[in-house]
Amino acid sequence: MQKILCKDEAEKYSDAIDPKVVCYIRDGHTDTFESHKNFSLFVFPMYDIHQPGLPANEIMIYIDHEDLFIFCEGKRGYERVCALVTKEETNERALWCFFQNLLKNDMDNLEDIECEIADAEMAAMVRFHDNYIHKIISYRKELLRLKRYYEQLDAVLDSLSLNTNHLLSEEGIRHINILSGRTTRYLSSVLNLRDYVTQMREAYQSQIDIEQNNLMRLFTVITAIFQPLTLMVGWYGMNFRNMPEMGWTYAYPLFAGISLMICTGMLIYFKKKKWV
């Protein structure tokens, strides 16, 4: 028997399902993978990676020698599982087709994410903008979601391929191993993208540090240019009686000319040093 059910329908099939499983589903106490003598039970969150932002729907799969039951959480999860599962001659074939359809086109989606991240990096290099850090954060959150998804899916497929209760044939184990290898590659791609985004964040922080250093250098140059003038103003602001320049007719133009020469000379010096 092959059935797709909502979780609250488990008790209707209590005659075909091990009683412990019905209690697990009712109480919500399930591990990622449980292998018993006559059946296997595993749970994983099913993300729709083609629609980022949507919450995961928990999927619980029960398989024994005669039956395959897929319990879904929520209406959306039920509809998606129905679209992925096809009627097959054997339970292991139906299970393999479910995971096959679940992972279909995932690599194309990961390549689209990679291209999007690369485009965002190129746009930031052309034009430095403030919302770039928000994009980096959203990419990291999405990649973390995918990382958890593929890690749990990889753990389920690895445990299923061990076939400790001999529910699968040799051909079924070979098919599951193929899917497990594919999931591992997807997980590796996600980890590489996370490293790429981390490098983008570090480059962004370096760019901010460079901008701040340039601004501080500009302020330092301005302060250095006007520091001699501040000294001269303080010097002549003392107003001693015997300062001969105080009563000279050309003292003010001379002071203005010297100040201009100092500013111009220091600006030329800083230009030669490429500090401005």
Side-chain angles (χ1 to χ4, degrees):
M1 182 188 303
Q2 299 173 12
K3 286 287 184 179
I4 303 172
L5 306 167
C6 293
K7 285 187 175 181
D8 53 5
E9 297 180 294
E11 295 187 3
K12 296 180 181 179
Y13 295 87
S14 57
D15 55 339
I17 303 175
D18 191 284
K20 290 187 292 187
V21 176
V22 178
C23 295
Y24 287 165
I25 297 174
R26 183 178 61 247
D27 300 336
H29 298 154
T30 53
D31 294 328
T32 301
F33 190 93
E34 295 185 21
S35 178
H36 298 268
K37 182 178 180 180
N38 298 320
F39 69 91
S40 291
L41 179 70
F42 48 94
V43 183
F44 66 94
M46 184 178 64
Y47 291 103
D48 189 354
I49 73 169
H50 306 285
Q51 296 182 4
L54 293 179
N57 298 107
E58 188 176 78
I59 302 299
M60 182 182 299
I61 298 180
Y62 170 91
I63 184 172
D64 58 23
H65 291 285
E66 292 85 21
D67 305 306
L68 173 65
F69 293 99
I70 302 179
F71 299 98
C72 309
E73 179 186 35
K75 181 180 178 181
R76 185 170 59 84
Y78 176 81
E79 293 175 349
R80 184 154 185 254
V81 171
C82 289
L84 295 174
V85 175
T86 57
K87 292 292 183 179
E88 299 293 339
E89 296 179 358
T90 61
N91 291 333
E92 67 176 31
R93 179 72 182 179
L95 184 63
W96 176 79
C97 288
F98 167 70
F99 283 114
Q100 170 80 5
N101 294 328
L102 181 64
L103 297 172
K104 189 177 181 180
N105 299 325
D106 279 20
M107 183 55 72
D108 293 337
N109 182 74
L110 293 176
E111 289 177 354
D112 292 339
I113 295 176
E114 182 179 3
C115 292
E116 183 180 348
I117 294 174
D119 292 340
E121 183 184 25
M122 185 63 65
M125 292 176 61
V126 175
R127 181 177 178 272
F128 191 74
H129 49 85
D130 295 335
N131 64 344
Y132 184 60
I133 188 63
H134 299 292
K135 285 188 175 183
I136 292 178
I137 293 174
S138 65
Y139 290 143
R140 286 178 59 84
K141 292 174 68 175
E142 175 64 17
L143 292 173
L144 178 61
R145 184 178 76 105
L146 293 177
K147 173 180 172 292
R148 291 173 177 172
Y149 169 60
Y150 286 124
E151 281 178 343
Q152 292 175 318
L153 199 58
D154 190 40
V156 167
L157 292 173
D158 282 344
S159 300
L160 193 61
S161 66
L162 293 176
N163 197 28
T164 56
N165 47 17
H166 306 289
L167 293 178
L168 303 179
S169 63
E170 291 185 3
E171 183 181 4
I173 295 174
R174 182 169 59 86
H175 288 158
I176 293 298
N177 284 331
I178 292 174
L179 292 175
S180 178
R182 186 181 304 175
T183 306
T184 302
R185 290 194 298 271
Y186 293 163
L187 177 59
S188 178
S189 297
V190 171
L191 294 177
N192 290 336
L193 287 176
R194 286 193 71 202
D195 292 339
Y196 185 23
V197 172
T198 301
Q199 293 174 3
M200 289 173 57
R201 185 184 62 177
E202 292 174 353
Y204 174 78
Q205 187 62 47
S206 298
Q207 184 67 26
I208 292 178
D209 293 340
I210 291 173
E211 294 290 333
Q212 291 177 345
N213 290 338
N214 290 337
L215 186 61
M216 293 302 298
R217 183 170 58 183
L218 178 61
F219 288 154
T220 302
V221 168
I222 293 174
T223 302
I225 290 175
F226 287 97
Q227 193 66 37
L229 305 184
T230 304
L231 176 62
M232 293 173 62
V233 170
W235 185 273
Y236 285 99
M238 292 184 291
N239 294 325
F240 290 124
R241 293 182 179 180
N242 296 325
M243 296 180 70
E245 295 87 352
M246 300 297 295
W248 188 34
T249 305
Y250 301 102
Y252 177 75
L254 180 62
F255 184 85
I258 293 174
S259 300
L260 184 60
M261 289 174 59
I262 291 175
C263 292
T264 303
M266 295 190 69
L267 188 59
I268 293 173
Y269 176 78
F270 291 146
K271 283 280 188 181
K272 288 183 178 180
K273 292 292 185 179
K274 297 182 179 180
W275 292 347
V276 292

